[in-house]
Amino acid sequence: MTDGLIAEGVAREFVNRIQNLRKDSGFAVTDRIAIEFVASEAMTETLFSLIDYIKSETLADEVTAPPTINGDGTRFDLNDEKITVHITRHARQ
């Protein structure tokens, strides 16, 4: 498998986790969101290499990787790495 295919698989799994968080949080399918995540430098680079795909699939207006999460984060394993994610719904315009 090439690095590109591995990155695509990681991005798809990340999107799946975000979609589950949206559902568990009671967000509407059309709600726009902001995603914050904390991960290793390598994982962050992988996810940002496919940021347009991630934003499109999750309806995220923003995806950031701050040093710490604002608020409660959800922790999960992705490709044998720990990631902490926090999503917030943007106000409807």
Side-chain angles (χ1 to χ4, degrees):
M1 298 218 347
T2 66
D3 289 342
L5 288 175
I6 293 169
E8 287 177 23
V10 168
R12 279 194 299 275
E13 183 60 26
F14 184 78
V15 165
N16 178 270
R17 301 294 180 96
I18 296 301
Q19 299 298 43
N20 288 334
L21 285 173
R22 288 174 62 94
K23 180 180 169 186
D24 294 346
S25 298
F27 293 177
V29 173
T30 56
D31 284 340
R32 304 296 298 189
I33 63 170
I35 302 169
E36 292 178 304
F37 71 93
V38 175
S40 71
E41 185 176 336
M43 179 61 73
T44 299
E45 286 178 17
T46 298
L47 293 174
F48 275 112
S49 74
L50 292 160
I51 198 66
D52 291 336
Y53 166 76
I54 291 168
K55 289 170 86 172
S56 171
E57 292 296 310
T58 61
L59 296 181
D61 293 325
E62 302 171 50
V63 179
T64 58
T68 59
I69 295 291
N70 294 325
D72 294 332
T74 300
R75 233 183 132 117
F76 56 83
D77 288 333
L78 182 62
N79 211 32
D80 296 326
E81 291 196 38
K82 301 259 187 256
I83 296 181
T84 304
V85 176
H86 178 70
I87 62 172
T88 53
R89 180 178 16 215
H90 280 183
R92 293 189 180 161
Q93 309 257 334

